[in-house]
């Protein structure tokens, strides 16, 4: 079998087992642990595979290493090229550096800086091109031809798929009684490898993929639907317009269903991982949990294995998500109060909130707005509450004092 045939050959359990031996010691065997608080939240018996603990913060280095190890000396000397929004880039860069292989990574210009910086830190040459992966790939095609570089595809390569399949081996070794694996889906390399391994080891297990509604490519392929893949998503790691040919073939044979989740459910999942599990998930990494949150009834009572496949999220974005979730839960309340412009009003309002055990965290006092009476003022107040009913009691108390109060939307208050 030549190299081209090997890249497109069927993926088998035996080959995934060989991949597991190949990466042993070079890639961390991450824990797969019960998550009681997520179980309480979702109604399922949840177990989490913490691939965010890898050196690069994501699962991608498994497939990258298997692919790089398959290259002969001539190809290694030529150097490799990859296109990625971040995690595949880091996996290729890290292991290429370990193996002494020159690596060029083309990334969309909108890739989070934390991923660009990390990829450069592993020694790869980073080229920023285009606003999407498709546009970045066009530049990578040009560079590959110009420099005679070897492609390391992020998902549509049998070597890569075999490497990603090792996650399922580890999950079923740690938790053999799992009923369902819920797996984020971008181009399909992760779910194709995991489904191949899992179904071979345990034919009764369900394998369910999760995509963002903005990029439903694999869902469309599985169900024969015309779909549009576009838009800004918090899950940029699975924002794939052109899914793999080989991965699609495998998914059709081995995957039971694909779920589509909203951006808000992914935000909720990121926040749940942080606040309940004390771990960090990027948007793509949290997609599996978002699937459970979106369709609780489907998973109630089942033993569900989630793959937290990546934790490379911009800290500023993470902090914004936490604030937004506090607001959605009614624990952070923003209100606008119309008041007379006289001494002591601010103190009265703060006293009402404080007496009811609310905690004022921010105040803006407006006198110059044209829609405010000349002898009046407007206060924008943000306060912490125990929960939504507690916040509502505080607002009711302010209204009883004669103040006009209206709630502010999250976006209004944060701008």
């Amino acid at each position: 079998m030549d190299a081209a045939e090997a890249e497109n050959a069927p993926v088998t359990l035996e080959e995934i087992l060989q991949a597991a031996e190949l990466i042993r010691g070079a890639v961390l065997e991450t824990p797969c642990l019960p998550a009681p608080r997520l179980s309480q939240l979702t109604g399922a018996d949840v177990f989490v595979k913490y691939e965010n603990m890898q050196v690069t913060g994501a699962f991608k280095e498994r497939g990258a290493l298997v692919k790089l190890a398959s290259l002969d000396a001539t190809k290694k000397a030529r150097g490799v090229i990859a296109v990625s929004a971040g995690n595949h880039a880091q996996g290729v860069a890290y292991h290429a550096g370990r193996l002494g292989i020159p690596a060029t990574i083309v990334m969309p210009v909108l890739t989070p800086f934390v991923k660009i910086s990390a990829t450069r830190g592993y020694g790869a040459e980073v080229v920023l091109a285009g606003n999407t992966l498709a546009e970045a790939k066009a530049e990578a095609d040009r560079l590959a031809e110009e420099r005679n570089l070897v492609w390391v595809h992020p998902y549509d390569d049998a070597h890569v798929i075999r490497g990603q399949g090792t996650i399922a081996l580890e999950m079923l070794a740690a938790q053999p009684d799992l009923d369902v694996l819920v797996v984020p889906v971008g181009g399909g390399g992760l779910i194709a490898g995991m489904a191949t391994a899992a179904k071979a080891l345990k034919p009764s297990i369900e394998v369910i993929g999760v995509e963002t509604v903005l990029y439903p490519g694999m869902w469309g392929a599985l169900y024969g639907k015309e779909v549009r893949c576009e838009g800004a998503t918090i899950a940029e790691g699975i924002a794939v317009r052109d899914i793999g040919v080989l991965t699609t073939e495998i998914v059709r044979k081995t995957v039971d269903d694909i779920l589509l989740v909203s951006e808000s459910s992914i935000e909720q999942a990121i926040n749940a991982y942080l606040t309940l599990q004390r771990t960090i998930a990027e948007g793509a990494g949290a997609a599996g949990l978002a699937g459970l949150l979106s369709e609780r009834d489907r998973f109630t009572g089942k033993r569900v294995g989630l793959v937290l496949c990546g934790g490379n999220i911009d800290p500023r974005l993470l902090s914004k998500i936490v604030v937004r979730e506090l607001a959605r839960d009614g624990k952070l309340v923003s209100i606008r109060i119309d008041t007379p412009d006289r001494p002591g009003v601010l103190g009265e309002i703060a006293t009402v909130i404080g007496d009811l055990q609310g905690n004022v965290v921010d105040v803006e006092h407006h006198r110059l707005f044209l829609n405010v009476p000349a002898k009046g003022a407007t206060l924008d107040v943000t306060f912490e509450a125990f929960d939504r009913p507690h916040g509502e009691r505080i607002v009711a108390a302010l209204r009883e004092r004669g103040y006009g109060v209206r709630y502010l939307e999250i976006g209004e208050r944060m701008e």
Side-chain angles (χ1 to χ4, degrees):
M1 181 182 298
D2 63 23
E5 290 173 329
E7 289 169 2
N8 297 286
V11 178
T12 66
L13 174 61
E14 181 180 356
E15 290 166 336
I16 294 172
L17 290 167
Q18 292 171 356
E21 287 301 314
L22 187 152
I23 67 175
R24 192 180 305 280
V27 172
L28 182 66
E29 184 173 333
T30 56
C32 183
L33 302 174
R37 298 186 73 183
L38 294 184
S39 298
Q40 183 179 15
L41 178 66
T42 63
D45 193 5
V46 178
F47 299 80
V48 177
K49 177 68 165 167
Y50 290 93
E51 284 295 287
N52 61 340
M53 295 178 65
Q54 296 292 353
V55 173
T56 62
F59 77 99
K60 285 284 193 176
E61 55 184 88
R62 294 173 180 266
L65 177 55
V66 174
K67 174 63 176 180
L68 292 171
S70 74
L71 302 179
D72 60 29
T74 300
K75 289 184 177 179
K76 289 178 179 177
R78 283 163 50 190
V80 297
I81 189 167
V83 174
S84 170
N87 290 333
H88 179 63
Q90 292 177 69
V92 172
Y94 174 60
H95 287 289
R98 285 183 53 252
L99 299 172
I101 302 171
T104 301
I105 312 294
V106 183
M107 309 177 84
V109 295
L110 299 179
T111 301
F113 182 75
V114 64
K115 295 183 179 182
I116 296 172
S117 179
T119 304
R120 285 178 172 148
Y122 295 128
E125 176 189 352
V126 174
V127 177
L128 301 179
N131 292 322
T132 66
L133 283 171
E135 293 173 359
K137 186 178 183 303
E139 174 62 11
D141 284 333
R142 188 189 68 79
L143 290 173
E145 183 175 356
E146 178 183 285
R147 303 181 186 179
N148 195 29
L149 302 175
V150 178
W151 269 103
V152 180
H153 199 280
Y155 47 85
D156 210 23
D157 183 298
H159 295 297
V160 172
I161 295 169
R162 291 166 193 140
Q164 320 308 26
T166 60
I167 296 175
L169 301 181
E170 294 174 13
M171 291 183 74
L172 288 173
Q175 308 293 342
D177 295 332
L178 290 175
D179 300 313
V180 190
L181 297 179
V182 182
V183 185
V185 178
L190 176 60
I191 196 169
M194 288 188 63
T196 298
K199 292 287 189 176
L201 290 171
K202 188 176 182 179
S204 64
I205 199 167
E206 278 189 284
V207 181
I208 296 177
V210 182
E211 292 181 304
T212 168
V213 294
L214 296 175
Y215 289 84
M218 193 63 77
W219 178 88
L222 191 62
Y223 293 108
K225 304 288 187 179
E226 289 290 330
V227 298
R228 176 179 295 178
C229 295
E230 62 182 15
T233 172
I234 194 172
E236 75 281 343
I238 54 173
V240 177
R241 189 190 70 183
D242 301 317
I243 58 174
V245 175
L246 180 56
T247 58
T248 300
E249 179 183 338
I250 295 171
V251 165
R252 284 177 174 148
K253 294 176 181 177
T254 59
V255 173
D256 296 282
D257 197 5
I258 304 287
L259 307 181
L260 302 180
V261 296
S262 67
E263 293 296 298
S264 61
S265 68
I266 296 173
E267 288 186 30
Q268 185 184 359
I270 292 171
N271 185 67
Y273 271 126
L274 180 65
T275 58
L276 301 182
Q277 294 304 114
R278 302 298 189 262
T279 192
I280 296 176
E282 61 186 270
L289 178 55
L292 264 67
L293 294 172
S294 299
E295 299 200 18
R296 285 177 168 85
D297 291 346
R298 177 172 189 156
F299 299 100
T300 299
K302 293 183 178 180
R303 293 170 63 86
V304 179
L306 295 179
V307 187
L308 200 178
C309 59
N312 294 314
I313 187 170
D314 188 312
R316 293 173 300 173
L317 178 58
L318 181 60
S319 65
K320 185 176 180 180
I321 289 169
V322 171
V323 171
R324 288 165 63 91
E325 287 304 307
L326 287 172
R328 287 192 178 105
D329 291 341
K331 296 178 181 179
L332 190 67
V333 183
S334 290
I335 55 177
R336 179 162 289 170
I337 308 171
D338 296 325
T339 71
D341 189 11
R342 61 174 173 78
V345 170
L346 180 57
E348 290 175 11
I349 291 171
T351 298
V352 171
I353 295 173
D355 285 348
L356 290 173
Q357 296 185 295
N359 180 39
V360 176
V361 295
D362 190 57
V363 176
E364 291 185 11
H365 198 179
H366 306 291
R367 288 188 177 88
L368 302 180
F369 285 179
L370 293 179
N371 61 349
V372 176
K375 291 187 177 181
T378 296
L379 286 176
D380 287 352
V381 179
T382 300
F383 64 89
E384 293 177 311
F386 297 130
D387 50 30
R388 189 176 301 281
H390 181 216
E392 290 171 349
R393 289 196 299 273
I394 292 173
V395 170
L398 289 168
R399 287 172 174 162
E400 288 171 4
R401 292 294 187 95
Y403 294 112
V405 182
R406 76 173 180 89
Y407 288 96
L408 295 177
E409 296 295 329
I410 299 171
E412 285 185 85
R413 190 65 189 85
M414 294 183 68
E415 287 174 353

